[in-house]
Amino acid sequence: YLHLHSPDARDFSADIKGLLDGGQTVILDLGNATDEIRRYFADLLCEEIFHHQERKFVSNGLANHFVQLYFEEAHNLFPKNDNDFTDVYARLAKEGAKFHLGIVYSTQSPSTINKELLAQTENFFVGHMSSQDETNVLAKLQVQFDGLQEDILHTRTQGFMRMITFSHRFAIPVQVNKFAAEPAR
């Protein structure tokens, strides 16, 4: 992977942590990377951010600063091993809140996500799923989706979702509209 290195490269994890501490949004697009590269950088950065926030917690330096991590196609990153609760993603799910860390992830394959990590998930937004096995896993994990499997499989209305939140422990149908940014005035 030498061809991917820049001679001007700096400590990117320090740069990213500095931007996050400054309240900035950082987008790391690894969509075109190989699985090996994607996992390496995602794991490395998540570990760095987790430990950075943990150090701030220990020194009473969190204040009112929160970091939200977003993962697209989480089944490519999160481990399936249901017996391993020590990797960074499981730690983010189990311990992240006290360090002001939250995670949002999307997947079309809940069966490939560690069950403990799924059990720590508070809010679910479920759109269309195309596998009966996946809807059954979802219903087994969150009983509020039991009985909705066929509807989830057959509904294809763009933006239509079923939502379970921390404050509402039953599936609520919602229509999500496409976000259209308006120019600043």
Side-chain angles (χ1 to χ4, degrees):
Y1 298 108
L2 193 58
H3 68 281
L4 298 175
H5 290 265
S6 168
D8 302 323
R10 299 189 327 234
D11 182 353
F12 69 93
S13 63
D15 290 345
I16 289 173
K17 290 183 292 187
L19 291 167
L20 293 174
D21 284 344
Q24 299 295 307
T25 298
V26 177
I27 298 173
L28 182 63
D29 183 358
L30 298 172
N32 291 327
T34 65
D35 287 342
E36 183 181 14
I37 293 290
R38 183 176 26 252
R39 178 167 295 284
Y40 172 80
F41 281 107
D43 291 358
L44 177 92
L45 281 172
C46 286
E47 287 277 354
E48 288 281 330
I49 292 167
F50 183 88
H51 292 300
H52 181 67
Q53 291 295 106
E54 185 178 37
R55 284 188 295 276
K56 288 177 9 181
F57 173 80
V58 169
S59 65
N60 200 25
L62 284 175
N64 199 23
H65 182 260
F66 295 83
V67 175
Q68 194 71 34
L69 302 170
Y70 292 83
F71 300 97
E72 185 78 23
E73 303 293 339
H75 52 271
N76 291 327
L77 289 174
F78 295 177
K80 170 62 175 126
N81 185 349
D82 289 331
N83 298 320
D84 181 10
F85 308 122
T86 61
D87 82 308
V88 69
Y89 304 105
R91 291 195 72 197
L92 282 167
K94 291 180 122 258
E95 304 173 52
K98 73 179 168 193
F99 302 134
H100 291 188
L101 284 166
I103 60 174
V104 174
Y105 60 94
S106 69
T107 183
Q108 296 170 351
S109 305
S111 66
T112 63
I113 303 290
N114 181 306
K115 286 180 181 49
E116 183 65 24
L117 197 140
L118 284 168
Q120 294 294 322
T121 301
E122 291 183 357
N123 302 310
F124 285 81
F125 295 84
V126 177
H128 171 73
M129 295 173 78
S130 58
S131 166
Q132 191 165 24
D133 290 340
E134 295 298 337
T135 58
N136 289 336
V137 166
L138 180 66
K140 187 175 180 182
L141 176 74
Q142 288 291 329
V143 70
Q144 297 87 342
F145 288 114
D146 193 21
L148 297 175
Q149 295 98 315
E150 287 298 316
D151 193 41
I152 291 170
L153 287 169
H154 293 104
T155 302
R156 297 193 186 270
T157 304
Q158 192 171 7
F160 182 74
M161 306 188 95
R162 287 141 199 96
M163 174 180 77
I164 295 176
T165 65
F166 182 70
S167 60
H168 293 92
R169 300 312 293 171
F170 48 90
I172 301 170
V174 294
Q175 178 65 45
V176 178
N177 295 323
K178 181 179 178 182
F179 174 75
E182 294 183 20
R185 296 178 198 206

